[in-house]
PDB file of all heavy atoms in Angstrom:
ATOM      1  N   HIS F 249     -66.580  14.315  93.258  1.00  0.00           N
ATOM      2  CA  HIS F 249     -66.640  15.640  92.625  1.00  0.00           C
ATOM      3  C   HIS F 249     -65.487  15.798  91.615  1.00  0.00           C
ATOM      4  O   HIS F 249     -65.704  16.127  90.435  1.00  0.00           O
ATOM      5  CB  HIS F 249     -66.562  16.682  93.751  1.00  0.00           C
ATOM      6  CG  HIS F 249     -66.451  18.105  93.326  1.00  0.00           C
ATOM      7  ND1 HIS F 249     -66.692  18.565  92.053  1.00  0.00           N
ATOM      8  CD2 HIS F 249     -66.112  19.216  94.057  1.00  0.00           C
ATOM      9  CE1 HIS F 249     -66.508  19.884  92.021  1.00  0.00           C
ATOM     10  NE2 HIS F 249     -66.149  20.295  93.211  1.00  0.00           N
ATOM     11  N   PHE F 250     -64.284  15.519  92.058  1.00  0.00           N
ATOM     12  CA  PHE F 250     -63.119  15.740  91.196  1.00  0.00           C
ATOM     13  C   PHE F 250     -63.112  14.774  90.007  1.00  0.00           C
ATOM     14  O   PHE F 250     -62.825  15.176  88.873  1.00  0.00           O
ATOM     15  CB  PHE F 250     -61.849  15.579  92.039  1.00  0.00           C
ATOM     16  CG  PHE F 250     -60.621  16.156  91.392  1.00  0.00           C
ATOM     17  CD1 PHE F 250     -60.591  17.478  90.960  1.00  0.00           C
ATOM     18  CD2 PHE F 250     -59.487  15.375  91.226  1.00  0.00           C
ATOM     19  CE1 PHE F 250     -59.446  18.014  90.368  1.00  0.00           C
ATOM     20  CE2 PHE F 250     -58.343  15.904  90.636  1.00  0.00           C
ATOM     21  CZ  PHE F 250     -58.315  17.221  90.214  1.00  0.00           C
ATOM     22  N   PHE F 251     -63.462  13.517  90.241  1.00  0.00           N
ATOM     23  CA  PHE F 251     -63.504  12.532  89.146  1.00  0.00           C
ATOM     24  C   PHE F 251     -64.540  12.953  88.094  1.00  0.00           C
ATOM     25  O   PHE F 251     -64.293  12.857  86.893  1.00  0.00           O
ATOM     26  CB  PHE F 251     -63.884  11.135  89.656  1.00  0.00           C
ATOM     27  CG  PHE F 251     -62.910  10.510  90.621  1.00  0.00           C
ATOM     28  CD1 PHE F 251     -63.294   9.380  91.359  1.00  0.00           C
ATOM     29  CD2 PHE F 251     -61.625  11.002  90.806  1.00  0.00           C
ATOM     30  CE1 PHE F 251     -62.413   8.769  92.250  1.00  0.00           C
ATOM     31  CE2 PHE F 251     -60.739  10.400  91.700  1.00  0.00           C
ATOM     32  CZ  PHE F 251     -61.147   9.278  92.428  1.00  0.00           C
ATOM     33  N   LEU F 252     -65.701  13.409  88.567  1.00  0.00           N
ATOM     34  CA  LEU F 252     -66.765  13.807  87.629  1.00  0.00           C
ATOM     35  C   LEU F 252     -66.336  15.012  86.797  1.00  0.00           C
ATOM     36  O   LEU F 252     -66.526  15.032  85.578  1.00  0.00           O
ATOM     37  CB  LEU F 252     -68.056  14.121  88.388  1.00  0.00           C
ATOM     38  CG  LEU F 252     -68.781  12.886  88.944  1.00  0.00           C
ATOM     39  CD1 LEU F 252     -69.766  13.289  90.046  1.00  0.00           C
ATOM     40  CD2 LEU F 252     -69.506  12.122  87.832  1.00  0.00           C
ATOM     41  N   TRP F 253     -65.729  15.998  87.451  1.00  0.00           N
ATOM     42  CA  TRP F 253     -65.284  17.185  86.698  1.00  0.00           C
ATOM     43  C   TRP F 253     -64.221  16.770  85.657  1.00  0.00           C
ATOM     44  O   TRP F 253     -64.177  17.329  84.557  1.00  0.00           O
ATOM     45  CB  TRP F 253     -64.755  18.265  87.649  1.00  0.00           C
ATOM     46  CG  TRP F 253     -65.764  19.318  88.016  1.00  0.00           C
ATOM     47  CD1 TRP F 253     -65.559  20.665  87.974  1.00  0.00           C
ATOM     48  CD2 TRP F 253     -67.124  19.152  88.467  1.00  0.00           C
ATOM     49  NE1 TRP F 253     -66.699  21.336  88.356  1.00  0.00           N
ATOM     50  CE2 TRP F 253     -67.671  20.446  88.655  1.00  0.00           C
ATOM     51  CE3 TRP F 253     -67.948  18.043  88.713  1.00  0.00           C
ATOM     52  CZ2 TRP F 253     -68.990  20.650  89.083  1.00  0.00           C
ATOM     53  CZ3 TRP F 253     -69.257  18.253  89.134  1.00  0.00           C
ATOM     54  CH2 TRP F 253     -69.759  19.523  89.316  1.00  0.00           C
ATOM     55  N   ALA F 254     -63.408  15.776  86.007  1.00  0.00           N
ATOM     56  CA  ALA F 254     -62.379  15.323  85.055  1.00  0.00           C
ATOM     57  C   ALA F 254     -63.001  14.673  83.822  1.00  0.00           C
ATOM     58  O   ALA F 254     -62.615  14.988  82.698  1.00  0.00           O
ATOM     59  CB  ALA F 254     -61.398  14.360  85.739  1.00  0.00           C
ATOM     60  N   VAL F 255     -63.978  13.774  83.981  1.00  0.00           N
ATOM     61  CA  VAL F 255     -64.567  13.161  82.774  1.00  0.00           C
ATOM     62  C   VAL F 255     -65.390  14.174  81.983  1.00  0.00           C
ATOM     63  O   VAL F 255     -65.579  14.003  80.777  1.00  0.00           O
ATOM     64  CB  VAL F 255     -65.428  11.896  83.009  1.00  0.00           C
ATOM     65  CG1 VAL F 255     -64.620  10.755  83.547  1.00  0.00           C
ATOM     66  CG2 VAL F 255     -66.627  12.170  83.837  1.00  0.00           C
ATOM     67  N   LEU F 256     -65.842  15.243  82.635  1.00  0.00           N
ATOM     68  CA  LEU F 256     -66.584  16.289  81.917  1.00  0.00           C
ATOM     69  C   LEU F 256     -65.660  17.264  81.183  1.00  0.00           C
ATOM     70  O   LEU F 256     -66.144  18.220  80.571  1.00  0.00           O
ATOM     71  CB  LEU F 256     -67.467  17.071  82.893  1.00  0.00           C
ATOM     72  CG  LEU F 256     -68.651  16.316  83.505  1.00  0.00           C
ATOM     73  CD1 LEU F 256     -69.330  17.163  84.583  1.00  0.00           C
ATOM     74  CD2 LEU F 256     -69.675  15.914  82.441  1.00  0.00           C
ATOM     75  N   ASN F 257     -64.344  17.046  81.274  1.00  0.00           N
ATOM     76  CA  ASN F 257     -63.390  18.015  80.708  1.00  0.00           C
ATOM     77  C   ASN F 257     -63.679  19.431  81.217  1.00  0.00           C
ATOM     78  O   ASN F 257     -63.614  20.421  80.471  1.00  0.00           O
ATOM     79  CB  ASN F 257     -63.435  18.047  79.164  1.00  0.00           C
ATOM     80  CG  ASN F 257     -62.805  16.822  78.533  1.00  0.00           C
ATOM     81  OD1 ASN F 257     -63.503  16.028  77.892  1.00  0.00           O
ATOM     82  ND2 ASN F 257     -61.514  16.642  78.701  1.00  0.00           N
ATOM     83  N   ALA F 258     -63.996  19.515  82.497  1.00  0.00           N
ATOM     84  CA  ALA F 258     -64.328  20.824  83.076  1.00  0.00           C
ATOM     85  C   ALA F 258     -63.048  21.607  83.362  1.00  0.00           C
ATOM     86  O   ALA F 258     -62.029  21.021  83.712  1.00  0.00           O
ATOM     87  CB  ALA F 258     -65.102  20.633  84.372  1.00  0.00           C
ATOM     88  N   PRO F 259     -63.121  22.933  83.254  1.00  0.00           N
ATOM     89  CA  PRO F 259     -62.024  23.743  83.788  1.00  0.00           C
ATOM     90  C   PRO F 259     -61.845  23.380  85.264  1.00  0.00           C
ATOM     91  O   PRO F 259     -62.841  23.179  85.975  1.00  0.00           O
ATOM     92  CB  PRO F 259     -62.530  25.186  83.628  1.00  0.00           C
ATOM     93  CG  PRO F 259     -63.523  25.108  82.490  1.00  0.00           C
ATOM     94  CD  PRO F 259     -64.191  23.758  82.656  1.00  0.00           C
ATOM     95  N   LEU F 260     -60.617  23.252  85.712  1.00  0.00           N
ATOM     96  CA  LEU F 260     -60.368  22.870  87.113  1.00  0.00           C
ATOM     97  C   LEU F 260     -59.847  24.081  87.866  1.00  0.00           C
ATOM     98  O   LEU F 260     -58.654  24.384  87.821  1.00  0.00           O
ATOM     99  CB  LEU F 260     -59.359  21.718  87.181  1.00  0.00           C
ATOM    100  CG  LEU F 260     -59.767  20.414  86.494  1.00  0.00           C
ATOM    101  CD1 LEU F 260     -58.658  19.369  86.631  1.00  0.00           C
ATOM    102  CD2 LEU F 260     -61.091  19.874  87.048  1.00  0.00           C
ATOM    103  N   MET F 261     -60.764  24.809  88.518  1.00  0.00           N
ATOM    104  CA  MET F 261     -60.385  25.992  89.281  1.00  0.00           C
ATOM    105  C   MET F 261     -60.606  25.671  90.753  1.00  0.00           C
ATOM    106  O   MET F 261     -61.747  25.681  91.228  1.00  0.00           O
ATOM    107  CB  MET F 261     -61.239  27.196  88.876  1.00  0.00           C
ATOM    108  CG  MET F 261     -61.235  27.502  87.378  1.00  0.00           C
ATOM    109  SD  MET F 261     -59.614  27.889  86.690  1.00  0.00           S
ATOM    110  CE  MET F 261     -59.289  29.444  87.470  1.00  0.00           C
ATOM    111  N   ALA F 262     -59.527  25.380  91.453  1.00  0.00           N
ATOM    112  CA  ALA F 262     -59.646  25.072  92.872  1.00  0.00           C
ATOM    113  C   ALA F 262     -60.086  26.327  93.627  1.00  0.00           C
ATOM    114  O   ALA F 262     -59.918  27.450  93.128  1.00  0.00           O
ATOM    115  CB  ALA F 262     -58.307  24.568  93.407  1.00  0.00           C
ATOM    116  N   GLY F 263     -60.635  26.140  94.838  1.00  0.00           N
ATOM    117  CA  GLY F 263     -61.096  27.293  95.614  1.00  0.00           C
ATOM    118  C   GLY F 263     -60.977  27.022  97.101  1.00  0.00           C
ATOM    119  O   GLY F 263     -61.665  27.633  97.909  1.00  0.00           O
ATOM    120  N   ASN F 264     -60.097  26.091  97.437  1.00  0.00           N
ATOM    121  CA  ASN F 264     -59.880  25.791  98.859  1.00  0.00           C
ATOM    122  C   ASN F 264     -58.669  26.559  99.368  1.00  0.00           C
ATOM    123  O   ASN F 264     -57.926  27.156  98.587  1.00  0.00           O
ATOM    124  CB  ASN F 264     -59.691  24.275  99.058  1.00  0.00           C
ATOM    125  CG  ASN F 264     -58.548  23.711  98.224  1.00  0.00           C
ATOM    126  OD1 ASN F 264     -58.357  24.088  97.067  1.00  0.00           O
ATOM    127  ND2 ASN F 264     -57.775  22.820  98.809  1.00  0.00           N
ATOM    128  N   ASP F 265     -58.487  26.533 100.689  1.00  0.00           N
ATOM    129  CA  ASP F 265     -57.354  27.220 101.303  1.00  0.00           C
ATOM    130  C   ASP F 265     -56.106  26.372 101.087  1.00  0.00           C
ATOM    131  O   ASP F 265     -55.898  25.362 101.764  1.00  0.00           O
ATOM    132  CB  ASP F 265     -57.634  27.421 102.795  1.00  0.00           C
ATOM    133  CG  ASP F 265     -56.519  28.210 103.474  1.00  0.00           C
ATOM    134  OD1 ASP F 265     -55.452  28.397 102.854  1.00  0.00           O
ATOM    135  OD2 ASP F 265     -56.736  28.619 104.630  1.00  0.00           O
TER     136      ASP F 265
END
Side-chain angles (χ1 to χ4, degrees):
H249 173 14
F250 197 54
F251 297 166
L252 287 161
W253 264 229
V255 295
L256 292 173
N257 287 114
L260 299 179
M261 306 299 292
N264 57 320
D265 183 348

